[in-house]
Amino acid sequence: MEPKMILKIVIDVFMSLALLVLMGYQFWGDAAHEWVGVCMLVLFIAHHVLNFGWYRSLFKGRYTPYRIIQLVINFLILIVMLIQMYSGIVMSREVFAFLPINGGLSLARKLHIIGSYWGFVLMSFHLGLHWNMFIGMAGKTIKNKKPSRARSAVLIVFGALVAAYGLYAFIKRGFIDNMLLKSEFVFLDFSESKILFYLDYIAIMGLFIFIAHYVSKIIRKITSNNKINKSIK
């Protein structure tokens, strides 16, 4: 695997870890939350620099349904990150406390809540769209080139179970309410177990990875079949 591709995967992994840390604000406090947020922004910029070729190809080639989904998700994530950058700076008590910002806290708090939960869902979905890349890397790591129906079936069942629990956690954690900003404040349980909290959030991430991965597979298969049918005609 090329060094650039390895670097992209490493950055994606660290962004995912940073995202999980950021969602567990109650465990780490203001300073850690803000510094991890800054690291997340740096990683996000690095991710886009490494994938600059994607921007250059925006007006080239044909737009398939899969490519359209990628485009929409990527631009929604960009919007969310800009929202988080703005709201995070306005609300900052540590990293950007030196800036002469007065007012705007109420709006910033609302934007930060919406951005946090939409960002988590969108970035998980983005990972799912590229899950084949991680599967391919895992296959090369274990050097197992022989396809196995039994192994594939076990992985699908495992993924489905994680997704099912993720759906339960998604509802239990009130994601929809926070994504729709039904309240200006998020209830944080400071006494909650870190392990149980992160198990829920990893499962929620797994839910959207699972959905994106299999939806993208279905879309690409349909697109491929349509191409074959057109060539036959």
Side-chain angles (χ1 to χ4, degrees):
M1 189 177 290
E2 295 179 2
K4 186 177 179 181
M5 182 59 69
I6 294 173
L7 183 57
K8 285 181 181 180
I9 292 171
V10 169
I11 287 174
D12 282 350
V13 169
F14 275 101
M15 284 179 71
S16 300
L17 292 173
L19 187 62
L20 288 167
V21 172
L22 289 170
M23 297 305 290
Y25 164 82
Q26 66 269 34
F27 302 121
W28 315 112
D30 286 336
H33 184 80
E34 290 187 26
W35 281 112
V36 173
V38 171
C39 291
M40 181 72 163
L41 180 61
V42 171
L43 289 170
F44 183 76
I45 293 170
H47 174 86
H48 279 265
V49 170
L50 288 171
N51 290 279
F52 187 72
W54 180 81
Y55 286 97
R56 288 185 297 186
S57 67
L58 281 177
F59 301 102
K60 298 177 182 178
R62 190 171 65 90
Y63 271 83
T64 62
Y66 174 72
R67 190 180 178 191
I68 292 169
I69 290 174
Q70 274 191 313
L71 180 67
V72 171
I73 295 297
N74 287 346
F75 275 105
L76 286 175
I77 291 174
L78 178 60
I79 291 168
V80 165
M81 288 301 294
L82 291 173
I83 287 172
Q84 293 303 86
M85 181 177 67
Y86 164 76
S87 59
I89 290 173
V90 171
M91 295 171 63
S92 177
R93 297 176 182 175
E94 300 285 341
V95 181
F96 300 103
F98 63 92
L99 294 175
I101 299 173
N102 296 311
L105 280 174
S106 178
L107 175 61
R109 187 183 298 111
K110 293 175 185 176
L111 290 174
H112 210 69
I113 292 172
I114 294 173
S116 296
Y117 287 90
W118 274 102
F120 189 85
V121 169
L122 290 168
M123 289 187 70
S124 300
F125 202 89
H126 175 79
L127 278 175
L129 292 177
H130 299 278
W131 202 243
N132 276 335
M133 181 174 68
F134 293 94
I135 293 172
M137 186 180 72
K140 289 179 181 179
T141 301
I142 62 175
K143 296 179 180 178
N144 193 338
K145 297 181 181 179
K146 293 182 180 179
S148 167
R149 289 186 178 181
R151 185 173 61 246
S152 297
V154 169
L155 290 174
I156 291 170
V157 170
F158 177 74
L161 289 174
V162 171
Y165 181 76
L167 178 60
Y168 163 75
F170 180 81
I171 295 169
K172 182 183 76 171
R173 295 283 174 180
F175 259 69
I176 292 294
D177 289 347
N178 292 323
M179 290 168 75
L180 299 177
L181 198 66
K182 289 190 175 180
S183 173
E184 291 188 24
F185 298 92
V186 177
F187 171 74
L188 300 174
D189 185 356
F190 290 85
S191 63
E192 182 178 9
S193 163
K194 290 187 183 74
I195 294 174
L196 294 179
F197 177 89
Y198 282 114
L199 280 176
D200 278 4
Y201 272 78
I202 289 170
I204 294 168
M205 184 177 280
L207 166 65
F208 289 99
I209 288 173
F210 185 86
I211 292 171
H213 177 60
Y214 285 101
V215 166
S216 65
K217 284 186 75 170
I218 291 168
I219 289 172
R220 281 183 288 190
K221 188 171 183 179
I222 291 171
T223 303
S224 177
N225 288 340
N226 287 340
K227 281 183 180 179
I228 293 170
N229 292 333
K230 285 180 181 178
S231 64
I232 292 173
K233 291 178 181 179

